[in-house]
Amino acid sequence: MPVSKELPYQWYDTPNVHHCTLVDFEGLCAKLGLRILERVVLTEGEPVRTLPNLLGSLAIYRVSA
């Protein structure tokens, strides 16, 4: 999510609803030192392989410290 003068917060640090992209979440994992072991993106319970950030509605991650 873009950070601007009007919205000066990272997506995970806003006082509002926390929307994020897959890249946003994966960046947070990297910042926290978490290793992503697996990612599955779904829409209506079905895996999304093409344009997951655009077409997916749920992402499930398996991470390790």
Side-chain angles (χ1 to χ4, degrees):
M1 301 300 287
V3 176
S4 66
K5 184 178 177 183
E6 292 77 24
L7 296 168
Y9 306 101
Q10 292 292 330
W11 69 267
Y12 54 84
D13 196 28
T14 67
N16 301 315
V17 175
H18 297 164
H19 295 286
C20 71
T21 67
L22 300 175
V23 173
D24 290 335
F25 181 75
E26 291 171 11
L28 176 62
C29 288
K31 183 177 178 178
L32 296 175
L34 299 173
R35 190 167 57 113
I36 296 171
L37 304 175
E38 186 177 4
R39 176 185 86 184
V40 177
V41 180
L42 304 171
T43 291
E44 296 182 7
E46 296 296 322
V48 176
R49 291 181 179 81
T50 305
L51 301 172
N53 198 57
L54 179 63
L55 302 176
S57 61
L58 173 70
I60 302 169
Y61 285 83
R62 187 165 62 104
V63 299
S64 175

